[in-house]
Amino acid sequence: MTAPAPRPPRDYPFEAPWQAQVFAMTIALQDQGLVGAEEWAQALGARIAASAVPDGSDYYECWAAALGDLLAAKELLSREDLLRTTAAWHAAAARTPHGQPIVLDAGGSRAGGVT
């Protein structure tokens, strides 16, 4: 018997704006027919199964990683572009004052402005 899949923490599913954004991106890709529900379930399930966090607290990290896997597999975004954008986002987040929006400019590295 397999353990039930972890659920998002708390009653409200999103603890941070990025979680809602990655959720919305996934739904938009499904709505556009670029990602199928079955392949999405398989990708997310694989990431959750590979997780070393038994309490499910990394649910949206698994979600984001599964989305990255599908984007790369479908060649909608190269793995290099995904890694570069992720690194730029983390650098911008580190420079952004608490409570301010994290923003990437066209070069992918500036914080400040509108999201």
Side-chain angles (χ1 to χ4, degrees), residues 2-4 9 22 36 46 48 63 78-79 82 87-88 95 98 102-103 114:
T2 60
V22 75
I48 290 171
W63 188 292
S78 73
R79 184 64 66 184
L82 180 61
R95 292 189 306 272
H98 180 74
I102 299 168
V103 179
V114 294

Side-chain angles (χ1 to χ4, degrees), residues 5-6 43-53 59 62-63:
L44 179 57
R47 281 295 181 156
I48 290 171
S51 172
V53 182
Y59 182 81
C62 290
W63 188 292

